[in-house]
Amino acid sequence: MEIIIKATVAEAEQEVAAIMARQVRLKPSCTLGLATGSTPIGVYACLVAQHAAGGLDFARVTTFNLDEYVGLPADHPCSYRAFMREHLFSKVNVSPKHIHFPDGTASDIPAHCAAYEQAIRKAGGIDLQLLGIGRDGHIGFNEPSSSLASRTRIKTLTPQTVKDNARFFGSEAEVPRHVITMGVGTIMDSRQCVMLATGEGKADAVARMAEGPITADLPASILQMHPVCTLVIDSAAAARLKRRDYYNWVYENKPLWQRTGTV
Ligand code: F6R
């Protein structure tokens, strides 16, 4: 796992946006896996700015979002569709027919989840998956104890995640208890994973993910097994890492051809 530590949240967001923009430029018909939550908002703002400046074309890009709340229709203001519309899709030229979400209102959830997996396969798999991390180490909504080989399915949020996400809904009572999420195995099939984590509240999960044992108790730890995974963090989220100096050294000595500014 490559670990990039930036001094500020804004620099970390710019780094992730640069990695994503590079992917889009290298392969204009790429498939992106996208995340919601507070963390990627600044990344989407950077991508929107690059698009507005004429430097980034999403016309041929296909997207698959990681997750959606069960029971929330697409037009619900707290649905992840609404989130993505607000922060990215209404501001760049992604074609609506290339946008995919789990459907939280599907009547046959297992069949819908199987169809979502099939749609990802049909699109040729995910080239780059953007990830955040929960304070309990979840990726997508694969909460602790999730199978590390899991596929898209229904999951029950932990009380902690319900509490963490209440800020979007107004109260804990309004947060749905169930979600449809890509599985850990689905995420691991992506050709590249890029995780952004910022703030001291993520420092413990980040350290356990990058330097602890691989365990279903912290689903994000499986990313240690991913062949092309980059973790981008600000200095607050890096606070508990043991090998910070080495990660900085690796980044400073990165070969020119591997740097994001090159494409
Ligand atoms: C959302 C998702 C989640 C979030 C995680 C962190 O699509 O997949 O795993 O990335 O809950 O959320 P924030 O960024 O709000 O701290």
Side-chain angles (χ1 to χ4, degrees), residues 89-167:
F89 295 150
S90 65
K91 297 173 176 164
V92 298
N93 62 334
V94 184
S95 163
K97 64 178 192 294
H98 292 164
I99 294 172
H100 302 83
F101 278 87
D103 180 359
T105 63
S107 54
D108 183 341
I109 289 180
H112 173 67
C113 293
Y116 201 66
E117 290 276 333
Q118 174 62 21
I120 294 172
R121 276 193 298 275
K122 203 172 153 212
I126 292 172
D127 291 298
L128 186 155
Q129 176 67 57
L130 175 63
L131 295 167
I133 185 170
R135 291 196 296 147
D136 60 5
H138 68 236
I139 45 174
F141 274 131
N142 295 283
E143 297 282 32
S145 80
S146 289
S147 160
L148 297 181
S150 50
R151 313 304 306 187
T152 302
R153 70 216 182 291
I154 189 168
K155 286 294 291 180
T156 307
L157 297 178
T158 60
Q160 179 66 60
T161 303
V162 169
K163 206 176 187 152
D164 286 346
N165 288 2
R167 67 191 190 281

Side-chain angles (χ1 to χ4, degrees), residues 35-40 66-67 80 132-134 138-141 167 202:
T36 58
S38 302
T39 314
L66 279 167
D67 37 28
Y80 284 159
I133 185 170
H138 68 236
I139 45 174
F141 274 131
R167 67 191 190 281
K202 299 290 172 71

Side-chain angles (χ1 to χ4, degrees), residues 222-237:
I222 192 65
L223 292 169
Q224 292 175 30
M225 297 290 289
H226 196 284
V228 192
C229 179
T230 301
L231 167 64
V232 183
I233 48 185
D234 70 334
S235 54

